[in-house]
Amino acid sequence: MITSFLRGACQASAAISISTIFGWDGEDRLLQRYIAIWTLALAGFVAALYLTGLPGWVFVVLAGLALYRLQDLVFASLDDALQLTPRDNQFNVLPHGFAVQVGLVNIVQIVLIFALCLKVFAANDFDAAANHLTTPFDYLYLSWMVLLPPGSGYNASTWVGRALSMLESGVGLLVVVLALSSFLSRVGGGTPGGAAAPGGDA
């Protein structure tokens, strides 16, 4: 039942994935460019937070695009590691080290995605002893620290901030585990994780 649910989720994600639609999943260079463009775009979204003159709905749209990217990389990682849909066959032709490379970039993207979402959906929701989050960089720092086990020292005061913090920690851990699983299974010639790049269209 769990496998069927995950397969259905990965199929739905693949149906709206830009890289899958255009057939870039098995193309090393095209996939690298796709991932690089998303990384630059997400960095640009966070930088746009400094433009205080923009209307609020613009940032909501940017956060929506960032969340689209989040589901894209998460379900591609699951698909890659668990071999849930036919697109895993395209991931299999990618180089051994590609799994680790994409996994590392995915972590950077996750930090950027949640920095944006924390600012847009949970602004002023985190308090520390003598600090308050004010600039976009503060939220980038918060996102990075939420992802790491020690934590940031900031505590969310509403369920939105808590949910985003939990989601980021969970997604970050999942992506790291799936990246290592895909890499090790390919190097060892095993079958559980196939041979692919976590977040392949990630």
Side-chain angles (χ1 to χ4, degrees), residues 2-135:
I2 295 177
T3 301
S4 298
F5 172 77
L6 292 176
R7 180 177 292 110
C10 288
Q11 289 174 338
S13 178
I16 60 173
S17 171
I18 296 173
S19 65
T20 301
I21 293 172
F22 288 96
W24 298 339
D25 290 338
E27 300 291 336
D28 189 358
R29 291 187 177 181
L30 291 177
L31 199 52
Q32 287 188 41
R33 291 174 185 172
Y34 175 71
I35 295 169
I37 289 172
W38 263 117
T39 305
L40 292 174
L42 291 170
F45 294 172
V46 173
L49 293 172
Y50 282 98
L51 304 176
T52 56
L54 293 177
W57 65 265
V58 172
F59 298 112
V60 173
V61 170
L62 294 181
L65 291 172
L67 290 174
Y68 162 83
R69 175 57 189 157
L70 181 66
Q71 66 78 30
D72 191 22
L73 71 85
V74 167
F75 288 115
S77 297
L78 278 171
D79 200 357
D80 171 30
L82 303 180
Q83 300 180 332
L84 295 170
T85 74
R87 71 173 168 176
D88 177 67
N89 295 327
Q90 295 178 295
F91 295 154
N92 289 340
V93 302
L94 298 171
H96 282 48
F98 198 76
V100 175
Q101 294 173 29
V102 175
L104 292 173
V105 176
N106 281 347
I107 292 299
V108 173
Q109 292 190 4
I110 289 170
V111 170
L112 292 169
I113 289 168
F114 280 95
L116 177 64
C117 290
L118 287 168
K119 173 62 175 174
V120 173
F121 299 122
N124 304 318
D125 189 32
F126 292 81
D127 296 316
N131 299 301
H132 297 283
L133 299 169
T134 55
T135 70

Side-chain angles (χ1 to χ4, degrees), residues 118 122 125-127 153-165:
L118 287 168
D125 189 32
F126 292 81
D127 296 316
Y154 289 89
N155 296 311
S157 58
T158 71
W159 71 268
V160 176
R162 293 167 186 163
L164 287 172
S165 298

Side-chain angles (χ1 to χ4, degrees), residues 144-193:
W144 177 257
M145 295 306 294
V146 165
L147 189 64
L148 299 176
S152 63
Y154 289 89
N155 296 311
S157 58
T158 71
W159 71 268
V160 176
R162 293 167 186 163
L164 287 172
S165 298
M166 293 169 61
L167 182 61
E168 180 174 9
S169 297
V171 167
L173 179 60
L174 178 65
V175 166
V176 169
V177 170
L178 293 175
L180 291 175
S181 171
S182 294
F183 174 72
L184 293 175
S185 66
R186 181 166 191 176
V187 171
T191 56

